[in-house]
Amino acid sequence: MLKYAYHNLLASPHFPSALPKQKLEEAKPACETAHQEILADRSADILGFYNLPETDITHIKGFMAKLDPRFDTMVVLGIGGSALGNKALYSALKTERELPRKLFVYDNVDPVYLHEILASINLDTTIFNIITKSGTTAETMAGYMILVDIIKKKFPNDYRSRIVITTDKEKGFLRQVIKDEGYASFTVPDNVGGRFSILTDVGLVSSAFSGMDITLLLEGAAAMRNRCSSMDIMNNPAYLNGLIHFLYYRQGKNISVMMPYSNSLYDFADWYRQLWAESLGKRKDLKGRDIFVGQTPVKALGTTDQHSQVQLYSEGPNDKVFTFISVESFKHDYTIPNLHPDREEVSYLGDKKLSELLNAERFATEIALTSAMRPNCNIIFPQIDEYHLGEFIMLYEIQTVFTGKLLHINPLDQPGVEAGKIATYALMGKEGFDEERAEIEKYKQEHGLES
Amino acid sequence: MLKYAYHNLLASPHFPSALPKQKLEEAKPACETAHQEILADRSADILGFYNLPETDITHIKGFMAKLDPRFDTMVVLGIGGSALGNKALYSALKTERELPRKLFVYDNVDPVYLHEILASINLDTTIFNIITKSGTTAETMAGYMILVDIIKKKFPNDYRSRIVITTDKEKGFLRQVIKDEGYASFTVPDNVGGRFSILTDVGLVSSAFSGMDITLLLEGAAAMRNRCSSMDIMNNPAYLNGLIHFLYYRQGKNISVMMPYSNSLYDFADWYRQLWAESLGKRKDLKGRDIFVGQTPVKALGTTDQHSQVQLYSEGPNDKVFTFISVESFKHDYTIPNLHPDREEVSYLGDKKLSELLNAERFATEIALTSAMRPNCNIIFPQIDEYHLGEFIMLYEIQTVFTGKLLHINPLDQPGVEAGKIATYALMGKEGFDEERAEIEKYKQEHGLES
């Protein structure tokens, strides 16, 4: 079970200026309201992610059972919620679980990055999984057109078995392509938004392919959901952590730093970045009033960023809440040999485990930030495996929705990304965007930019 | 030559609430003072990085000329300023320049990451470069003891040729090791701090090894230094960008986002993070008064983070300044085939270059952020090569020092990292830290933590 150590988020003799515990008491009515709203949303089938642990996954296991064993690599084409979870899970487990198959995620339209992926894979043994709910995401469709074209030309009689599409169950252009071509397909459910979709087909297919135990992932998620169903915030880590972050945000701490002390878990900070930023960064409250809220999530890596960011974190403005993520036991570990036993500069490291040093540095940073009066907490993985990752995912999904309720915003929409999409359509010459193109021409002229 | 497009940092008809140009005029006396302080520091040989383009690098070229050609891989052991520059340069150029030799950077004490590196290299053909000025950095020395032990055991007669050490030219434990063992060595100069050391032996040796043209790197840096030597801020991009960031910081924008539209340049955002955070994040001003200043640098990746962070960036609090980095021409590019010419959902992408879509999305995000009144600028690389990277490095080093002068802090020290180092020593049982150990025991008891 994940542990949640929050002693440096609340006032103590070591940290008198932290949040007094009575603030949690005072927030009880707001928490009760948020809890009731979540229950109502769940009844209205708006928060589908709560029920994902009980989803039937036999279709994924069936797909894996039938898969041609020559495939040893999957390339996911997707972006945002159709990529970050896939990457995070794979990075977390590829070495700790020695996953037998490889995963690449092309989540950009950078040509150099595409070149690198193509140079790293063997097309003969690679299967491509295109993930987009709408079937129109520009970045994903650009990659789709390039890669499907390559595969069709290289394997004219056999390309169908190398392509899988994950999209809306009925609507959209790609669902038509699936019918026309007979590609294998998976579904992005209606009641689960992109950034909450890691435990749907979106995240599970590539995870099962790489060799993870996805049943265990769902079991961990179920356990955390049950742990976080109570109204008693002191026994509900998602609510408690959400409430405390909300209260610090209201005090002016507009930055939330997630700092795993584990390279394997670093990509989960990116998954968290989307969840927190896109869910809570909102212009309008539920009544349509301009409020411009949202805490900015920042990722950092321990110990690496001790030599980059901790100077700012401990001495700069007190504008941050910190979340360490630590791991008690690693599958791979090393003992530091006492190479210079008579040199005190280094002999203290001798005969210690590398993981012991890693965790001592984590604790040392906790002590340093606490003595500088910077609120911090620690999420502790007993070890990195599917079960604990499932717990982690559900913890943060619930925390995010709960915090959105406290902020009186809709944590499930993302109206602010439309403007950029429309400008891209206009710039790329899509039909029906003449007015926007004219606007952009005016903008260019004003700033003396080339047409 | 790098271009600096700052039209969305200053007020215009499209962005009336941006910084009025007269604010730059008003700041002229402060800029003049900062400039004079920089000149004085340069005379006093405090800002050694300014003179690095003229450093003699024949010793590096000599080392490369004599290097056994069997070595095709280098592993750098270092952290912070002894790692971030190495990684950033290598990531930027490995594919664009098709570098012939590989670089790994072990800049943590994560055992899983060490396991991954050891599984990825061939020890027979790998050379190790240990970089630490003091020779006592705990993370680097832990890796040194593990890896040198492995190499000594595997190559008892031949280990010396596989180890290179980069440290202080006279002082420290590792300089003694160099003498005792006869290892090849390089120097971290006295007048260049770690985070400014990318163009010293620290960054140049691994870059030359991987196959970069380090002469070109220094030429680019020289050109930018000359461009940024003028007191006329409108013709000095380092001063201008530093001043504008300073003025926005004073207006409450406590976050600076660097968002390259290039996977290859993403690691340079990490290099920038250290430079900006560690140089400017300070508790005390030059008179010793508590001021707790510092803008938090954040890295983001275009287009990827459009589907993760742009919702927050455009609708959340107006607490950020944005810096895009864009690339006009990529060596590797792809044309998107018009796979579905009769489907308007995707046909607009057909026959366009992937780089055209990437740059259109960058421009679309500029337009979206500007219409949401979020200040943004763009650093434009004509292409990614050593010359332009050299320019970029010098631009940001000068900008950082100049901004530090405007903030009245010392941009060259890092007093805030000591507390964590001391706590680590205490926790790891180093001699002479009994008092700190007793303090930590009290802390543990108070919070009910295991001993």
Side-chain angles (χ1 to χ4, degrees):
Chain A
M1 190 171 86
L2 289 188
K3 290 173 233 174
Y4 169 50
Y6 57 92
H7 50 272
N8 292 322
L9 292 176
L10 298 176
S12 73
H14 272 98
F15 192 173
S17 62
L19 202 67
K21 207 175 164 185
Q22 87 203 48
K23 290 274 176 197
L24 304 183
E25 288 293 320
E26 290 166 20
K28 267 195 172 169
C31 292
E32 174 68 28
T33 304
H35 179 65
Q36 293 302 332
E37 287 174 8
I38 286 175
L39 292 181
D41 283 356
R42 289 183 64 182
S43 296
D45 199 24
I46 289 170
L47 295 174
F49 73 84
Y50 269 95
N51 303 321
L52 292 174
E54 283 73 37
T55 313
D56 186 8
I57 54 169
T58 49
H59 63 294
I60 300 176
K61 298 203 164 169
F63 171 80
M64 287 306 301
K66 280 192 307 186
L67 191 73
D68 191 322
R70 80 188 144 171
F71 292 122
D72 61 13
T73 303
M74 178 177 275
V75 176
V76 161
L77 295 182
I79 194 164
S82 299
L84 292 167
N86 309 67
K87 280 163 78 170
L89 283 168
Y90 182 69
S91 299
L93 293 173
K94 69 176 175 193
T95 304
E96 278 298 79
R97 291 262 299 156
E98 296 180 31
L99 297 178
R101 291 183 212 89
K102 282 188 193 160
L103 178 68
F104 293 86
V105 178
Y106 184 56
D107 62 346
N108 203 347
V109 292
D110 181 302
V112 181
Y113 183 41
L114 182 58
H115 183 85
E116 277 178 17
I117 289 179
L118 285 171
S120 305
I121 63 175
N122 175 359
L123 279 179
D124 283 331
T125 61
T126 299
I127 189 164
F128 292 83
N129 181 3
I130 297 105
I131 310 178
T132 156
K133 181 167 167 61
S134 67
T136 58
T137 312
E139 297 85 354
T140 307
M141 294 315 291
Y144 158 86
M145 297 214 277
I146 292 170
L147 289 165
V148 168
D149 186 60
I150 290 172
I151 299 158
K152 279 189 165 182
K153 283 175 178 154
K154 191 172 165 77
F155 309 104
N157 304 315
D158 180 24
Y159 68 90
R160 287 182 180 81
S161 67
R162 298 164 190 277
I163 295 166
V164 173
I165 294 181
T166 307
T167 190
D168 188 86
K169 71 173 180 295
E170 289 171 0
K171 283 176 293 186
F173 159 62
L174 277 183
R175 190 50 68 182
Q176 187 60 46
V177 170
I178 291 164
K179 282 181 197 146
D180 294 347
E181 295 276 12
Y183 294 142
S185 77
F186 292 95
T187 302
V188 185
D190 278 332
N191 61 348
V192 182
R195 57 187 174 271
F196 295 88
S197 70
I198 180 172
L199 297 179
T200 70
D201 287 0
V202 170
L204 293 179
V205 172
S206 67
S207 299
F209 176 87
S210 67
M212 288 176 215
D213 184 341
I214 60 174
T215 302
L216 211 52
L217 198 58
L218 296 177
E219 282 176 14
M224 184 58 80
R225 182 202 47 208
N226 299 342
R227 187 173 162 195
C228 295
S229 293
S230 159
M231 183 43 235
D232 172 16
I233 54 167
M234 298 314 289
N235 286 305
N236 182 331
Y239 284 11
L240 183 58
N241 206 31
L243 173 61
I244 293 173
H245 276 74
F246 167 79
L247 292 171
Y248 275 118
Y249 176 69
R250 285 286 185 237
Q251 288 187 5
K253 298 198 196 307
N254 64 335
I255 298 170
S256 163
V257 176
M258 180 174 280
M259 188 168 185
Y261 273 71
S262 158
N263 286 54
S264 308
L265 295 176
Y266 191 41
D267 282 354
F268 257 104
D270 268 327
W271 174 81
Y272 161 73
R273 276 172 78 231
Q274 184 198 18
L275 192 65
W276 202 244
E278 211 168 50
S279 301
L280 306 182
K282 294 291 152 72
R283 173 174 174 165
K284 293 193 181 294
D285 69 7
L286 290 171
K287 293 185 174 162
R289 293 174 296 208
D290 276 345
I291 53 169
F292 299 103
V293 293
Q295 195 175 41
T296 297
V298 167
K299 64 171 178 171
L301 177 64
T303 64
T304 305
D305 279 320
Q306 291 175 202
H307 295 261
S308 166
Q309 301 301 298
V310 164
Q311 167 64 35
L312 171 72
Y313 292 171
S314 60
E315 289 211 332
N318 200 338
D319 54 9
K320 300 173 185 73
V321 188
F322 297 90
T323 302
F324 300 116
I325 300 176
S326 63
V327 179
E328 287 180 333
S329 169
F330 293 92
K331 189 166 168 194
H332 303 282
D333 207 346
Y334 295 84
T335 299
I336 304 168
N338 207 347
L339 212 60
H340 302 278
D342 50 351
R343 297 297 305 233
E344 58 162 18
E345 297 96 327
V346 293
S347 60
Y348 71 98
L349 296 169
D351 305 320
K352 307 278 169 60
K353 293 265 186 196
L354 205 49
S355 61
E356 187 182 345
L357 176 58
L358 181 63
N359 282 320
E361 297 226 26
R362 209 277 320 153
F363 189 40
T365 305
E366 168 186 328
I367 291 169
L369 290 183
T370 303
S371 70
M373 306 297 154
R374 314 290 158 132
N376 62 86
C377 63
N378 188 18
I379 311 274
I380 304 157
F381 279 72
Q383 60 191 45
I384 303 176
D385 58 22
E386 289 89 336
Y387 184 87
H388 294 101
L389 292 169
E391 282 192 293
F392 184 82
I393 289 164
M394 188 58 81
L395 174 69
Y396 270 94
E397 290 184 343
I398 295 176
Q399 175 180 322
T400 300
V401 167
F402 183 75
T403 309
K405 298 295 184 190
L406 294 175
L407 285 164
H408 300 301
I409 53 97
N410 179 357
L412 304 178
D413 66 359
Q414 53 281 332
V417 301
E418 279 307 303
K421 282 187 191 174
I422 289 167
T424 297
Y425 290 150
L427 286 164
M428 293 300 286
K430 196 175 180 190
E431 273 178 54
F433 293 88
D434 292 342
E435 210 172 297
E436 289 82 0
R437 256 190 296 281
E439 272 295 316
I440 292 173
E441 277 310 312
K442 267 175 60 187
Y443 175 96
K444 282 182 171 176
Q445 278 172 19
E446 180 189 317
H447 293 304
L449 305 175
E450 287 159 38
S451 275
Chain B
M1 190 172 87
L2 288 189
K3 289 173 236 176
Y4 169 50
Y6 58 92
H7 50 271
N8 292 321
L9 291 176
L10 298 176
S12 72
H14 272 98
F15 193 172
S17 62
L19 202 67
K21 206 174 165 185
Q22 87 202 49
K23 290 275 176 196
L24 305 183
E25 289 293 322
E26 290 167 19
K28 269 195 172 169
C31 291
E32 175 67 28
T33 304
H35 180 65
Q36 294 302 334
E37 287 174 9
I38 287 175
L39 292 181
D41 283 354
R42 290 183 63 182
S43 296
D45 199 23
I46 290 170
L47 295 174
F49 73 84
Y50 269 95
N51 304 321
L52 292 175
E54 283 74 36
T55 312
D56 186 7
I57 54 168
T58 48
H59 62 294
I60 300 175
K61 298 202 165 169
F63 172 79
M64 286 306 302
K66 280 191 305 185
L67 190 72
D68 192 321
R70 81 190 144 169
F71 292 123
D72 61 11
T73 303
M74 178 177 275
V75 175
V76 161
L77 295 182
I79 194 164
S82 299
L84 292 167
N86 309 69
K87 281 163 76 171
L89 283 168
Y90 182 69
S91 299
L93 293 172
K94 70 176 173 192
T95 304
E96 278 297 79
R97 292 263 297 157
E98 295 180 30
L99 297 177
R101 288 183 214 90
K102 283 189 192 158
L103 178 68
F104 293 86
V105 179
Y106 185 56
D107 62 347
N108 202 348
V109 291
D110 181 302
V112 181
Y113 183 40
L114 182 59
H115 182 85
E116 275 177 20
I117 290 179
L118 285 171
S120 305
I121 62 176
N122 175 356
L123 278 178
D124 283 331
T125 61
T126 298
I127 189 164
F128 292 82
N129 182 3
I130 297 104
I131 310 178
T132 156
K133 182 167 167 59
S134 66
T136 58
T137 311
E139 298 86 353
T140 307
M141 294 315 291
Y144 157 86
M145 296 214 278
I146 292 170
L147 288 166
V148 168
D149 187 60
I150 290 173
I151 299 158
K152 280 190 164 180
K153 283 176 178 154
K154 190 172 165 76
F155 308 103
N157 303 316
D158 179 24
Y159 67 90
R160 288 182 178 80
S161 67
R162 299 164 189 277
I163 294 165
V164 173
I165 294 180
T166 307
T167 189
D168 188 87
K169 69 175 183 294
E170 290 171 0
K171 283 177 293 186
F173 159 61
L174 278 182
R175 189 51 68 182
Q176 188 59 46
V177 172
I178 292 163
K179 282 181 196 145
D180 294 347
E181 295 277 11
Y183 295 141
S185 77
F186 293 95
T187 303
V188 186
D190 279 331
N191 61 348
V192 181
R195 57 187 175 273
F196 295 88
S197 71
I198 179 171
L199 298 179
T200 70
D201 287 359
V202 170
L204 293 179
V205 172
S206 67
S207 299
F209 176 86
S210 66
M212 287 175 216
D213 183 341
I214 60 174
T215 302
L216 211 52
L217 198 59
L218 295 177
E219 283 176 15
M224 184 58 79
R225 180 201 50 209
N226 298 342
R227 188 174 162 193
C228 296
S229 294
S230 159
M231 182 43 234
D232 172 16
I233 53 167
M234 298 314 290
N235 286 305
N236 183 329
Y239 285 11
L240 182 58
N241 206 31
L243 172 61
I244 293 174
H245 275 74
F246 167 78
L247 292 172
Y248 275 118
Y249 176 69
R250 285 286 185 236
Q251 288 187 5
K253 297 196 197 311
N254 64 336
I255 299 170
S256 163
V257 176
M258 180 173 281
M259 188 168 184
Y261 273 70
S262 158
N263 286 56
S264 309
L265 295 176
Y266 190 41
D267 282 354
F268 258 103
D270 268 327
W271 174 80
Y272 161 73
R273 276 173 77 231
Q274 185 199 17
L275 192 65
W276 202 245
E278 210 167 52
S279 301
L280 306 183
K282 295 289 152 75
R283 172 174 175 165
K284 294 195 180 291
D285 70 8
L286 291 171
K287 292 184 175 162
R289 293 174 297 207
D290 276 345
I291 52 169
F292 298 104
V293 293
Q295 194 175 41
T296 296
V298 167
K299 64 172 178 170
L301 178 64
T303 64
T304 306
D305 279 322
Q306 292 176 204
H307 295 260
S308 165
Q309 301 302 298
V310 164
Q311 167 64 35
L312 170 71
Y313 292 171
S314 59
E315 290 212 331
N318 200 338
D319 53 9
K320 300 174 184 72
V321 188
F322 297 90
T323 302
F324 301 117
I325 300 176
S326 63
V327 180
E328 287 179 334
S329 170
F330 293 92
K331 190 167 169 194
H332 302 282
D333 208 346
Y334 295 85
T335 300
I336 304 169
N338 207 346
L339 212 60
H340 302 278
D342 51 351
R343 296 297 304 235
E344 59 163 17
E345 296 96 327
V346 295
S347 61
Y348 72 98
L349 296 167
D351 305 320
K352 307 279 170 57
K353 292 266 187 196
L354 205 50
S355 61
E356 188 183 343
L357 176 60
L358 181 64
N359 282 320
E361 298 226 27
R362 208 277 320 150
F363 189 38
T365 304
E366 169 187 329
I367 290 169
L369 289 182
T370 303
S371 69
M373 306 297 153
R374 314 290 159 130
N376 63 85
C377 63
N378 189 18
I379 311 274
I380 303 158
F381 279 72
Q383 60 191 45
I384 303 176
D385 59 21
E386 289 89 337
Y387 185 88
H388 294 102
L389 293 169
E391 282 192 292
F392 184 83
I393 289 163
M394 188 58 81
L395 174 69
Y396 270 93
E397 290 183 344
I398 295 176
Q399 175 181 321
T400 300
V401 168
F402 183 75
T403 309
K405 297 295 184 190
L406 294 175
L407 285 164
H408 301 300
I409 52 96
N410 179 358
L412 304 178
D413 65 359
Q414 53 282 331
V417 301
E418 278 309 302
K421 281 187 191 173
I422 289 167
T424 296
Y425 290 150
L427 286 164
M428 293 299 287
K430 195 174 179 188
E431 274 178 52
F433 293 87
D434 292 340
E435 210 171 298
E436 290 81 2
R437 257 190 296 280
E439 273 296 315
I440 291 173
E441 277 309 313
K442 266 175 61 187
Y443 175 96
K444 282 182 172 176
Q445 279 171 18
E446 180 189 316
H447 294 303
L449 305 174
E450 288 159 37
S451 273

